[in-house]
Amino acid sequence: MAHIVATQWPLLLTGLWHTILCSVIALFFSLIIGSLFAIFEIMPNRVMRIIGHVYVEIFRNIPLLVITMFFFVVIPLYVTKINGFTAGTIGLTIYTSAFIAETVRSGIQSVESGQMEGALSNGLTFWQSMRFIILPQAFKIVIPPLGNQFINLVKNSSVLAFVAGFDLMYQGNMIANNTLQTMPSYFIVAVLYLVITMPLSYYMRHLEKKLA
Amino acid sequence: MSMIEFHDVQKYYGDFHALKDINLTVEAGETVVLIGPSGSGKSTLIRTINGLEPIQDGKLIVNGYDLADKKTDPNKIRKNVGMVFQHFNLYANKTVLENIMLAPKVVLKRDDDENRDFAMKLLDQVGLASKADSYPRQLSGGQQQRIAIARSLAMRPKCLLFDEPTSALDPEMIDDVLNVMKDIARDSDMTMLVVTHEMGFAREVGDRVIFMADGQILEDDSKETFFDGQPSNERARQFLSKIIVHK
């Protein structure tokens, strides 16, 4: 195992870097897109609610791999050239944002309805009320399930391996093929995933305690 | 111009006819007290005035805007019409001072120093300047309600709506809140609509008393007629006798 690490570390580092990069980008955008669709789902306007529901129901009920393949195969065919890393990151963002939307929506709905009425009566618009009053309280409530989504996101980034996205899983496959030492190769990959997810997990727990 | 005008307003919750043929005019500066049994539509009526409840038919003109018109943005009305709720609805994630300063800051873009000075003045007025940095959950119901009133006043509204402001309070806290409300009624030219069972308040500072039952306005009297004369409506007389006996 030490031998693999010693000889293959450039590949492993590249993999680690791509996995982290993809995760950070997807986390950032899925949080924004997810929150936006969560708000759509609870807006007074019926058309917006329908848009929110349709988005969530479509993208959380299609396998991540299918969404990713769609971007990897279909987009280059009709729109523009797109590499595996980009296709995978977009797929992961859209897929995760549907779950985050559901999580954030449940958070928004668990904020007492009087908070919104108080803010509206005070002269704030719907979006101002969301931004200053409802969302800060909603996020506090959904930190634990949101943490789950973030961890899932990091693990799901292994979908990049299917579209040549140079992530950890992809490099793991390469190393296993090159060295023919399958077990140790994947063991190292597993450990490197833990290196990303464990601190994330502890950070979310810390955040939960801090804000409680 | 009248502050509030209801013309044949109808309000439904599904099949339930919550407000029936409401006709009511409130002049600027008036203090109007709404009473009636629970489920009579008083709270619904007051909540239509700032657009928290949509109406299905009729005309409802508040501060010059017609709320029945789908194109009217209720936000235009809410900037000038404050509301105080039974359960206070203070922002749980903000301190007392932030509660009061938020709307003037983001809605009226009031200058920061002026905003803070005015907020502290209002806190002083309701006797809670020492609580500026507390969070709502750290305060008693009576204190929260006085801060909710201060939060509404910070917008310098033309009209204030009170939806059972003392119903959720312990008896010994009620007077603190009522005194603040009486001060406003006496010292300002604000229009006030108050849903309450506090007849002492109605007697002292009310101009008119409106009695509602089953979604209808059954009595609309001057304070003198209502308390010292006799309401012409039988149900209003019964209701009044029960409240007076309890006092």
Side-chain angles (χ1 to χ4, degrees):
Chain A
M1 203 153 358
H3 175 73
I4 293 181
V5 175
T7 56
Q8 309 291 330
W9 63 267
L11 285 184
L12 290 170
L13 265 188
T14 313
L16 194 64
W17 164 243
H18 279 93
T19 292
I20 291 175
L21 186 66
C22 164
S23 300
V24 170
I25 295 173
L27 195 149
F28 179 77
F29 285 106
S30 61
L31 198 55
I32 291 176
I33 297 170
S35 304
L36 203 63
F37 279 98
I39 296 171
F40 287 177
E41 280 193 284
I42 52 96
M43 275 181 80
N45 185 321
R46 202 166 140 260
V47 177
M48 298 306 282
R49 281 207 304 274
I50 292 173
I51 292 174
H53 285 314
V54 168
Y55 181 89
V56 168
E57 288 307 329
I58 287 181
F59 289 114
R60 73 171 178 167
N61 289 315
I62 298 177
L64 170 61
L65 191 52
V66 176
I67 299 176
T68 302
M69 278 302 179
F70 174 84
F71 283 99
F72 190 55
V73 176
V74 179
I75 299 284
L77 223 52
Y78 297 106
V79 189
T80 178
K81 261 192 146 144
I82 190 170
N83 64 28
F85 181 81
T86 311
T89 307
I90 293 175
L92 187 61
T93 301
I94 289 176
Y95 176 82
T96 310
S97 67
F99 286 91
I100 288 184
E102 278 306 273
T103 308
V104 173
R105 179 188 58 80
S106 74
I108 291 173
Q109 284 177 326
S110 60
V111 175
E112 212 210 321
S113 63
Q115 295 286 307
M116 180 54 113
E117 290 194 346
L120 290 176
S121 302
N122 208 192
L124 272 67
T125 64
F126 175 85
W127 289 99
Q128 286 170 336
S129 308
M130 271 292 158
R131 179 173 155 212
F132 295 111
I133 306 303
I134 308 299
L135 286 181
Q137 295 184 55
F139 275 114
K140 209 164 111 179
I141 297 169
V142 297
I143 284 173
L146 216 49
N148 278 338
Q149 301 297 347
F150 292 166
I151 289 164
N152 277 337
L153 182 149
V154 174
K155 294 187 294 179
N156 285 340
S157 70
S158 59
V159 76
L160 287 182
F162 285 91
V163 291
F166 304 109
D167 69 312
L168 259 181
M169 187 62 200
Y170 179 84
Q171 308 295 8
N173 288 337
M174 295 280 284
I175 295 166
N177 283 336
N178 293 345
T179 62
L180 299 177
Q181 289 193 284
T182 321
M183 212 284 284
S185 300
Y186 289 120
F187 185 81
I188 293 167
V189 166
V191 169
L192 287 176
Y193 273 110
L194 280 178
V195 166
I196 306 174
T197 50
M198 292 295 276
L200 186 61
S201 179
Y202 277 104
Y203 177 71
M204 293 307 282
R205 233 171 250 171
H206 165 75
L207 211 59
E208 187 186 337
K209 279 202 195 110
K210 203 178 98 184
L211 295 176
Chain B
M1 190 180 62
S2 310
M3 188 68 213
I4 302 164
E5 286 176 39
F6 285 78
H7 298 284
D8 296 317
V9 168
Q10 315 288 342
K11 160 85 191 165
Y12 297 87
Y13 290 110
D15 287 336
F16 180 66
H17 201 169
L19 293 179
K20 300 171 187 162
D21 310 315
I22 300 294
N23 283 290
L24 173 67
T25 304
V26 179
E27 300 299 334
E30 264 190 311
T31 298
V32 178
V33 176
L34 268 130
I35 63 168
S38 43
S40 59
K42 332 178 277 292
S43 288
T44 304
L45 184 140
I46 209 172
R47 285 163 60 88
T48 60
I49 295 170
N50 71 350
L52 280 185
E53 299 286 351
I55 60 168
Q56 275 72 47
D57 199 15
K59 265 177 109 168
L60 172 48
I61 297 163
V62 181
N63 197 27
Y65 295 101
D66 185 2
L67 271 161
D69 186 347
K70 289 260 183 297
K71 282 180 287 230
T72 303
D73 181 1
N75 188 249
K76 287 205 174 98
I77 289 161
R78 291 169 185 153
K79 284 177 192 169
N80 291 301
V81 178
M83 187 160 205
V84 174
F85 298 86
Q86 185 177 0
H87 295 289
F88 334 123
N89 296 353
L90 290 175
Y91 309 137
N93 59 328
K94 304 272 180 202
T95 65
V96 164
L97 194 62
E98 289 166 347
N99 261 274
I100 300 174
M101 289 173 63
L102 180 69
K105 181 182 165 187
V106 303
V107 179
L108 306 177
K109 318 274 179 235
R110 187 176 291 160
D111 167 80
D112 226 37
D113 289 335
E114 189 202 337
N115 196 5
R116 187 175 301 272
D117 289 347
F118 189 47
M120 284 310 296
K121 201 185 126 206
L122 288 169
L123 271 180
D124 207 37
Q125 193 182 322
V126 300
L128 290 168
S130 63
K131 303 290 184 190
D133 296 321
S134 303
Y135 281 88
R137 63 171 179 278
Q138 299 167 315
L139 305 175
S140 73
Q143 291 172 328
Q144 289 193 51
Q145 194 60 299
R146 282 183 278 158
I147 284 154
I149 295 171
R151 181 177 71 176
S152 296
L153 291 174
M155 291 294 283
R156 295 199 174 95
K158 291 181 183 166
C159 174
L160 262 186
L161 309 170
F162 294 83
D163 187 6
E164 305 211 28
T166 56
S167 306
L169 301 181
D170 291 339
E172 65 263 34
M173 314 231 163
I174 291 178
D175 281 343
D176 294 339
V177 172
L178 287 179
N179 286 335
V180 168
M181 291 168 60
K182 285 175 194 168
D183 287 345
I184 301 169
R186 285 202 199 94
D187 305 338
S188 77
D189 50 7
M190 229 173 277
T191 312
M192 287 169 77
L193 243 85
V194 186
V195 174
T196 186
H197 295 300
E198 297 295 330
M199 290 302 112
F201 174 83
R203 255 177 204 275
E204 250 186 86
V205 297
D207 296 311
R208 274 160 73 194
V209 179
I210 288 171
F211 176 78
M212 287 185 74
D214 301 325
Q216 286 169 302
I217 293 179
L218 297 182
E219 262 320 298
D220 182 352
D221 293 330
S222 72
K223 166 176 66 178
E224 290 75 18
T225 316
F226 193 83
F227 287 114
D228 304 328
Q230 275 281 357
S232 54
N233 184 276
E234 172 62 26
R235 279 194 73 176
R237 270 203 302 275
Q238 272 179 12
F239 187 80
L240 190 60
S241 70
K242 274 179 198 149
I243 295 187
I244 303 288
V245 168
H246 276 292
K247 276 269 161 186

